[in-house]
């Protein structure tokens, strides 16, 4: 898949849906690999990705996941859904809202996942929406399964980002903040969460 085509698709979707596409560019390889690193690399895990965008993190997950894994991507933007289905035929794309995650997964025969990875633009959502989606995530995580998402380093001190981190800390017993990935544009870090409360 061409990175240029990914970027063109990303920008066109961001212009069409600025309230849905919250990143300034697709995640770089180093950040994508960091996000994918929580996924099991053995067995036959089921992994769900929320807000896969153009599929850059999806590709990192594909490199990590073992043969026989089930990789489900939940995407709300129809343009991104079409792009993913065309360019990532190996990816199981579900069109829908992450706020309905439990039902979306149940509709395809999944009740638990072994990891959840998110590229959603959390700071664009009100706290009620953040809590609603995180609640859905905690309901589908298998015991001990991780949830990870990212934040741009330059916004971590802003009230909206601090509020989101507070949501994570209220919903998970363990929230690990990774070192900054300086090779991403802009630099970013990941939250790795386990043990829903």
């Amino acid at each position: 898949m061409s990175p240029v085509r990914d970027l063109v698709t990303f920008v066109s979707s961001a212009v069409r849906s600025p309230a849905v596409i919250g990143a300034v560019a697709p995640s770089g390889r180093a950040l994508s690999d960091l996000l994918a690193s929580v996924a099991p690399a053995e067995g036959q895990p089921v992994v769900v990705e929320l807000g896969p965008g153009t599929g850059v993190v999806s590709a990192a997950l594909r490199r990590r996941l073992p043969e026989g894994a089930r990789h489900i991507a939940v995407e709300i933007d129809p343009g991104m859904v079409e792009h993913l289905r065309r360019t990532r035929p190996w990816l199981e794309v579900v069109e829908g809202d992450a706020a309905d995650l439990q039902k979306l997964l149940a509709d395809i025969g999944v009740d638990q996942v072994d990891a959840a990875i998110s590229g959603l633009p959390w700071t664009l959502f009100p706290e009620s929406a953040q809590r609603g989606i995180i609640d859905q995530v905690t309901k589908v995580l298998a015991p001990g399964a991780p949830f990870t998402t990212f934040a741009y380093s330059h916004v971590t001190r802003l009230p909206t980002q601090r509020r989101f981190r507070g949501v994570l800390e209220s919903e998970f017993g363990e929230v690990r903040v990774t070192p900054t990935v300086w090779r991403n544009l802009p630099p970013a870090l990941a939250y790795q969460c386990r043990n829903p409360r």
Side-chain angles (χ1 to χ4, degrees):
M1 179 61 209
S2 160
V4 173
R5 187 180 298 168
D6 272 353
L7 185 59
V8 169
T9 300
F10 182 89
V11 170
S12 64
S13 286
V15 169
R16 233 180 15 254
S17 309
V20 174
I21 313 296
V24 296
S27 299
R29 174 131 185 190
L31 178 60
S32 298
D33 286 344
L34 175 62
L35 293 170
S37 70
V38 302
E42 298 178 341
Q44 293 185 312
V46 177
V47 173
V48 67
E49 187 181 355
L50 309 178
T54 61
V56 178
V57 176
S58 306
L61 281 162
R62 188 179 191 208
R63 291 190 294 271
R64 178 170 176 81
L65 290 171
E67 193 171 334
R70 191 168 179 188
H71 181 181
I72 303 157
V74 175
E75 175 57 56
I76 196 170
D77 182 87
M80 292 290 197
V81 168
E82 193 275 329
H83 173 79
L84 290 167
R85 288 179 175 158
R86 187 180 70 252
T87 63
R88 310 283 199 271
W90 41 266
L91 185 61
E92 189 175 346
V93 183
V94 175
E95 185 172 352
D97 191 329
D100 302 318
L101 182 61
Q102 200 172 18
K103 181 183 185 310
L104 293 172
L105 292 178
D107 287 348
I108 56 170
V110 174
D111 60 351
Q112 284 192 328
V113 298
D114 300 297
I117 293 92
S118 172
L120 294 174
W122 296 105
T123 56
L124 297 183
F125 302 155
E127 184 175 349
S128 58
Q130 293 174 349
R131 288 192 181 278
I133 295 169
I134 295 296
D135 179 63
Q136 288 285 295
V137 169
T138 62
K139 286 177 176 170
V140 301
L141 287 176
F147 165 71
T148 191
T149 190
F150 74 94
Y152 295 124
S153 298
H154 68 280
V155 302
T156 55
R157 292 178 187 250
L158 294 179
T160 52
Q161 188 61 42
R162 288 181 19 216
R163 182 190 72 206
F164 175 63
R165 182 169 174 180
V167 169
L168 292 177
E169 290 173 344
S170 71
E171 298 295 328
F172 290 93
E174 176 188 336
V175 178
R176 177 178 176 267
V177 182
T178 69
T180 296
V181 178
W182 295 105
R183 288 179 291 162
N184 198 69
L185 181 65
L189 53 79
Y191 298 115
Q192 297 175 340
C193 311
R194 294 178 189 269
N195 306 324
R197 296 188 188 278

